[in-house]
Amino acid sequence: MKFKLIYQQMLGFFTVIILLLICLAFSLFHLTKQMVYQDTWDRLEGYAYSLKSEAMTLQVTDSGSEFVLDVTKLRNSEVILQNQNVHFTIYTAPDKILYPSYGFKSVISNSDWKKLKQGQILKRKSDLGGRKKLLAKDQGNQNDMIPDTVTKQRMTDIFAPCFDPNGKLIAVISVGATVSSLEESFQTIRRNLVYTLVVSAILGIIGSYVLAHYTAKRIAVLRNATKQVAEGNFDVILKNGQRDEIDDLAASFNKMTTSLKESNEEIKWQEERRRQFMADAAHEMRTPLTTINGLLEGLAYDAIPEERKGQCIELMQNETKRLIRLVNENLDYEKIRSGQIALSKTTFNAVDAIKNVVAQLDKKAQTANDTFELDIPAEISVYADYDRFVQILLNITKNAIQFTNDGVIKITAKRQGDATKIQISDTGIGMTEEQIKNIWERYYKADISRKNTKYGESGLGLAIVHQLMQLHQGKIEVTSQLDQGSTFTLTFPDEKI
């Protein structure tokens, strides 16, 4: 059985709220209880010192000091305080009561009496004592009084010390209130706290539901968006208020959909390039194979004159070489791309390699009425694999000759920082920005009309150049304008020591 997230959230929120309310109620009750006791003690202390000032007079004699009591005032005060369930007793010693002769007697220990001598006011929350009600035939003669029943009750009281001018403790006033009067206040506090707890719990349930519903709704939006992405819709964008972790999750989700969309477009583009590659490869191989097959059929059926057989054989050899070159270039590209070719890099004079490339391609340049211009020093070092370095220059220079007629192929070389920079420029047909982006792809032709020329006919030359430059940790940059020519800039970094 599934437990929906909204109920999980509600349970979590409600549990936290109830625990907090219980802790708060417990703390508040004890704090309030302590405040009630403290207020009672302060009130009792006020009664004690009021009795001292109004009904007790300190009399100093040669034999010592003592308090003279105004019994009438004390009795009046006793009657008034009894209506508030307050009783008082005046002690002159731990076991000696000065007033009244009957009443509530609290137990004062010797240690408590010592504290009183030190001027401390003792405060106690409860004491179990006995109130002795004395009956008398003659209210003026205490010897005729006999004790009646003894009743036990809990009291909260204070003991206020009274001193003479010499600092001697001569009396202690005990004022106490029955705990039952305080219990009524405590019951009222408990009742109010219970009401508050119930109301807060109800509000907590409502608040928990609102918060849980809000959170579950936001998660449901994420779930629905995820479902759309799973169905192939990568255009889903979630609103992001940047408020909390769910918004952070939404931001990550948006990044994911953007990345998936780009990846999907890249896959589609790669699939299109794969189809184009297969078509181009088939086309490149079909042309020489068709030529060879036609010539072989002609020779087989003796349809070719004797004087042209040598020419046919030479043509078949050229087409076979073309097929071999196409296969080798594809193999080279795959080996380079998969890292199966290990470079043997050394530092050598690049000038010699550049001159060798120019010498190899001079005849091809003359066929296109192109001329070479070299702007290179007598010696310039480069850190590279010599054979691959020559291959890079050959492919780029062939490409320049292929797209330039009656123009100039210029090669410059110079040192720049910790690298060797070589530029190969032409004054050919140039390229658009879109063409520049695609020239590193296999079988891509900037000029489709030149697909079957004998120079760079496979469309793999620049793709190989790009992979080789990456193996050299170098950089290749291209700038071009239509009908203005193109410039390839090669940067070969020095060996890192």
Side-chain angles (χ1 to χ4, degrees), residues 171-188:
V172 172
I173 303 174
S174 169
V175 182
T178 59
V179 174
S180 60
S181 63
L182 297 178
E183 288 293 338
E184 293 180 1
S185 300
F186 297 152
Q187 290 296 334
T188 302

Side-chain angles (χ1 to χ4, degrees), residues 382-444:
V382 64
Y383 180 67
D385 183 296
Y386 182 86
D387 293 333
R388 299 303 175 181
F389 178 77
V390 171
Q391 185 179 4
I392 290 169
L393 295 184
L394 275 171
N395 285 343
I396 295 178
T397 307
K398 281 182 180 180
N399 187 77
I401 295 172
Q402 179 184 354
F403 294 100
T404 304
N405 290 319
D406 302 319
V408 177
I409 311 297
K410 184 176 181 179
I411 301 177
T412 63
K414 61 180 179 180
R415 292 285 300 171
Q416 189 175 63
D418 296 331
T420 302
K421 181 171 287 188
I422 298 173
Q423 283 187 339
I424 302 175
S425 304
D426 63 65
T427 57
I429 63 174
M431 292 179 287
T432 63
E433 291 185 5
E434 184 66 24
Q435 290 172 334
I436 292 175
K437 292 179 182 178
N438 295 307
I439 58 175
W440 311 122
E441 299 297 329
R442 284 189 290 184
Y443 295 104
Y444 180 79

Side-chain angles (χ1 to χ4, degrees), residues 149-209:
T149 58
V150 177
T151 59
K152 301 290 184 178
Q153 54 185 329
R154 294 178 63 216
M155 302 284 289
T156 180
D157 50 15
I158 63 102
F159 294 89
C162 300
F163 299 92
D164 64 6
N166 297 322
K168 180 181 178 182
L169 179 66
I170 57 176
V172 172
I173 303 174
S174 169
V175 182
T178 59
V179 174
S180 60
S181 63
L182 297 178
E183 288 293 338
E184 293 180 1
S185 300
F186 297 152
Q187 290 296 334
T188 302
I189 294 172
R190 288 192 189 99
R191 186 165 51 252
N192 292 334
L193 285 176
V194 170
Y195 291 155
T196 304
L197 184 62
V198 171
V199 173
S200 299
I202 294 173
L203 294 176
I205 293 174
I206 297 173
S208 298
Y209 176 80

